[in-house]
């Protein structure tokens, strides 16, 4: 939620009380546990009595079984294939035609992510900063401030969109082998990483924040080793570090004005929150990739449905426990312009998710992390052009370093592939 973060991020020299965020996190986790604990008990119960839940007919029992146990009867993966299933999807093509196809696809996904996330940023800013006239009393203008409700609407629209696509292509969907609750991990880590990032803005200086965000690629690689057993060579780690260095140089040199207005030092809390953001974000990506690698694999729309289903529940529970769900819905009913903007925001978020899942499924978590890093740099380049500013010398060097590292990495993979005959692309 870029724009919301920008607005809420405080421009002050002294960070707030360091004891506030652990308390807030504790309350959030307590809220989630009111759903997670009963769900975990239910899962244990169904797993222990799994035979009682075996039924060939569509029923609540079958749904509970899919939720807690999964459909292991479709697990057709031969033992020897398990290793190769863990490898990242390799986007390096063999022929020129494949090269062009890959390049167009990457550009399409990148543009989709960029356009939808920029649209979301603009709409979020609009919703949070401007007031809305009441439909029945146009002379009264009121502001909306419940950001959690916006996330809830976003997840609901994404849930409905994925459900519509699944219903349309029902016959083309692979059987969903893992238990449905596995998507709650992605949902939880995605939510907590966003929360950590948002919360960290109050405790970290701009340079620390930038360097941490630029390190996304390296952290995603390290997490890939832990979550999926994916090995990367020293050369690949080197490229990841070079991208982090180049992106930091670019972002820091081209955003010196930001640095002046933000917090001037990083506290211990800030470091923990930034680490939380990076670790949960890297876990999300690698867990998604691990699910795409099951055989038969989980389709991107099944995953989108599963993740948004759990996220919607988590958000709804939070809103109900804070007592803000009904007041937000009432605000929506009384301000039709607001409802329209929230719908457009949620729709762009949902379409953005389709691009995100497509990228991770097709190109893997590292390419996605690189795309998100370039996305941040491109936003700055675009605003520099729009406002007629000039890129600094060091920003240009940083930009060159990032693209050079990407080029060298792709080139090496391409030449390695030429040397070693491949089974099939
Ligand atoms: N792996 C994965 N799966 C699903 N969705 C994801 C993923 N990574 C990022 N996102 C969503 O993309 C939105 C922007 O994410 P970030 O703020 O982390 O991106 S960045 O800071 O610009 O790099 C943000 O959307 P909102 O949560 O709706 O704001 C993220 O949740």
């Amino acid at each position: 939620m870029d724009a919301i973060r920008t607005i809420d991020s405080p421009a002050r020299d002294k960070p707030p009380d360091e004891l506030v965020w652990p308390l807030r996190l504790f309350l959030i986790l307590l809220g989630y546990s009111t759903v997670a604990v009963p769900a975990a008990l239910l899962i244990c119960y169904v797993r222990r009595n799994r035979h009682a839940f075996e039924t060939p007919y569509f029923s609540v029992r079958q749904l509970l079984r899919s939720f807690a146990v999964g459909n292991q009867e479709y697990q057709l993966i031969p033992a020897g294939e398990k290793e190769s299933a863990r490898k990242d999807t390799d986007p390096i093509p063999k022929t020129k035609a494949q090269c062009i196809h890959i390049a167009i696809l990457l550009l399409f996904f990148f543009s989709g992510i960029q356009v939808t996330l920029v649209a979301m940023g603009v709409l979020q800013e609009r919703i949070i900063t401007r007031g809305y006239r009441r439909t029945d009393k146009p002379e009264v203008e009121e502001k909306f401030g419940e950001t959690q409700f916006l996330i809830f609407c976003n997840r609901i629209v994404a849930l409905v969109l994925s459900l519509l696509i699944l219903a349309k292509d029902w016959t083309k969907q692979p059987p969903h082998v893992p238990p449905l609750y596995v998507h709650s991990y992605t949902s939880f880590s995605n939510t907590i990483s966003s929360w950590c990032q948002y919360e960290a803005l109050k405790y970290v200086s701009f340079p620390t924040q930038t360097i941490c965000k630029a390190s996304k690629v390296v952290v995603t690689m390290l997490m890939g080793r832990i979550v999926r057993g994916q090995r990367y060579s020293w050369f690949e780690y080197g490229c990841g570090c070079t991208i982090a260095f180049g992106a930091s140089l670019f972002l820091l040199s081209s955003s010196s004005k930001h640095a002046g207005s933000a917090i001037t030092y990083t506290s211990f809390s800030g470091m923990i929150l930034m680490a939380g953001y990076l670790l949960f974000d890297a876990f999300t990506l690698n867990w998604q990739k691990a699910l795409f690698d099951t055989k038969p694999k989980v389709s991107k729309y099944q995953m989108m449905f599963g993740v948004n289903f759990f996220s919607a529940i988590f958000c709804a529970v939070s809103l109900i426990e804070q007592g803000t769900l009904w007041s937000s819905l009432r605000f929506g009913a009384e301000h039709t312009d607001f409802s329209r903007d929230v719908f457009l925001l949620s729709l762009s978020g949902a379409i953005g998710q389709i691009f995100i899942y497509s990228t991770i499924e097709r190109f893997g978590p590292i390419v996605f992390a690189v795309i998100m890093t370039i996305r941040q740099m491109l936003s700055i380049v675009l605003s520099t052009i729009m406002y007629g500013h000039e890129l600094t010398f060091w920003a240009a060097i940083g930009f060159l370093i990032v693209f050079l590292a990407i080029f060298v990495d792709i080139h090496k993979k391409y030449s390695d592939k030429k040397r070693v005959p491949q089974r099939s692309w």
Side-chain angles (χ1 to χ4, degrees):
M1 296 240 138
D2 290 353
I4 292 170
R5 280 182 201 125
T6 314
I7 293 152
D8 281 354
S9 85
R12 58 184 154 220
D13 289 335
K14 208 166 163 275
D17 191 343
E18 305 245 348
L19 291 176
V20 175
W21 74 265
L23 190 71
R24 278 159 56 96
L25 182 62
F26 175 73
L27 289 177
I28 290 174
L29 295 180
L30 200 66
Y32 288 175
S33 68
T34 56
V35 182
V37 171
L41 292 174
L42 179 70
I43 291 167
C44 284
Y45 176 77
V46 177
R47 288 179 85 94
R48 243 185 249 142
N49 304 286
R50 63 181 67 191
H51 296 302
F53 288 86
E54 265 162 27
T55 155
Y57 310 107
F58 184 75
S59 61
V60 175
R61 272 199 295 165
Q62 198 201 42
L63 265 180
L64 283 172
R65 189 172 179 278
S66 298
F67 174 72
V69 185
N71 300 294
Q72 306 300 330
E73 64 273 22
Y74 294 112
Q75 188 91 29
L76 304 172
I77 181 166
E81 269 186 44
K82 270 193 172 159
E83 261 320 295
S84 65
R86 283 214 202 105
K87 297 249 155 51
D88 267 2
T89 310
D90 198 340
I92 304 301
K94 260 167 66 181
T95 66
K96 208 172 177 183
Q98 285 173 343
C99 259
I100 295 170
H101 173 71
I102 287 286
I104 293 175
L105 202 61
L106 251 180
L107 197 67
F108 177 61
F109 289 166
F110 177 83
S111 314
I113 291 174
Q114 180 71 12
V115 168
T116 50
L117 291 188
V118 166
M120 275 177 82
V122 171
L123 284 160
Q124 279 161 3
E125 180 131 19
R126 189 183 148 98
I127 292 171
I128 294 294
T129 51
R130 75 164 239 198
Y132 285 91
R133 289 182 188 284
R134 279 183 70 134
T135 318
D136 54 346
K137 289 186 211 148
E139 68 282 5
V140 182
E141 201 176 271
E142 288 165 326
K143 265 190 170 184
F144 185 78
E146 185 49 67
T147 54
Q148 179 95 335
F149 180 74
L150 302 180
I151 301 174
F152 174 66
C153 293
N154 180 322
R155 303 312 186 240
I156 292 286
V157 172
L159 186 71
V160 172
L161 187 65
S162 58
L163 193 64
L164 288 176
I165 299 173
L166 283 175
K168 185 177 158 285
D169 286 341
W170 191 252
T171 49
K172 289 188 205 151
Q173 296 301 317
H176 191 283
V177 173
L180 292 174
Y181 76 80
V182 293
H183 298 297
S184 64
Y185 301 160
T186 322
S187 161
F188 177 77
S189 57
N190 184 229
T191 311
I192 295 295
S193 79
S194 287
W195 185 85
C196 285
Q197 180 178 203
Y198 170 53
E199 204 61 20
L201 296 181
K202 300 172 191 166
Y203 300 94
V204 294
S205 67
F206 180 73
T208 315
Q209 200 194 110
T210 306
I211 292 166
C212 287
K213 284 191 91 172
S215 315
K216 201 171 177 139
V217 178
V218 184
V219 183
T220 306
M221 286 171 124
L222 292 170
M223 189 60 86
R225 181 84 182 91
I226 298 167
V227 175
R228 299 182 293 125
Q230 172 76 52
R231 285 172 193 276
Y232 295 98
S233 64
W234 285 110
F235 181 81
E236 286 168 314
Y237 279 115
C239 286
C241 290
T242 313
I243 290 174
F245 172 73
S248 303
L249 188 64
F250 173 86
L251 294 168
L252 291 176
S253 338
S254 49
S255 313
S256 49
K257 283 198 198 82
H258 267 274
S261 64
I263 295 161
T264 48
Y265 68 92
T266 298
S267 65
F268 183 61
S269 292
M271 287 312 288
I272 294 184
L273 286 163
M274 262 340 263
Y277 160 67
L278 282 172
L279 291 176
F280 280 111
D281 184 65
F283 174 85
T284 308
L285 279 171
N286 281 291
W287 189 248
Q288 285 168 320
K289 179 63 183 153
L291 291 177
F292 280 136
D293 284 346
T294 55
K295 286 202 174 170
K297 66 175 203 155
V298 174
S299 82
K300 57 177 179 262
Y301 297 116
Q302 288 171 337
M303 193 183 292
M304 191 171 154
F305 176 81
V307 174
N308 285 291
F309 173 76
F310 287 103
S311 298
I313 292 179
F314 285 144
C315 281
V317 167
S318 256
L319 287 169
I320 292 169
E321 285 173 358
Q322 288 165 24
T324 46
L325 180 62
W326 305 120
S327 54
S328 302
L329 286 172
R330 201 175 327 112
F331 191 94
E334 288 169 353
H335 305 79
T336 39
D337 285 359
F338 165 80
S339 301
R340 182 206 54 215
D341 285 353
V342 172
F343 176 70
L344 290 177
L345 167 73
S346 306
L347 192 64
S348 42
I351 296 171
Q353 280 195 28
I354 295 182
F355 284 109
I356 289 176
Y357 286 110
S358 303
T359 309
I360 301 167
E361 181 192 41
R362 181 68 183 83
F363 296 103
I366 306 301
V367 173
F368 177 73
V370 172
I371 283 183
M372 292 303 260
T373 308
I374 297 178
R375 186 186 97 73
Q376 289 180 37
M377 294 165 58
L378 201 73
S379 303
I380 291 184
V381 172
L382 287 180
S383 76
T384 310
I385 295 169
M386 265 170 64
Y387 295 109
H389 297 152
E390 274 180 18
L391 273 186
T392 65
F393 171 76
W394 287 111
I397 295 287
F399 201 83
L400 275 179
I401 290 176
V402 170
F403 282 93
L404 206 66
I406 295 171
F407 175 78
V408 169
D409 187 45
I410 294 176
H411 187 265
K412 177 160 188 313
K413 286 203 175 107
Y414 190 68
S415 12
D416 286 354
K417 279 223 161 189
K418 268 188 168 171
R419 248 179 277 131
V420 183
Q422 297 296 306
R423 277 181 298 143
S424 66
W425 186 68

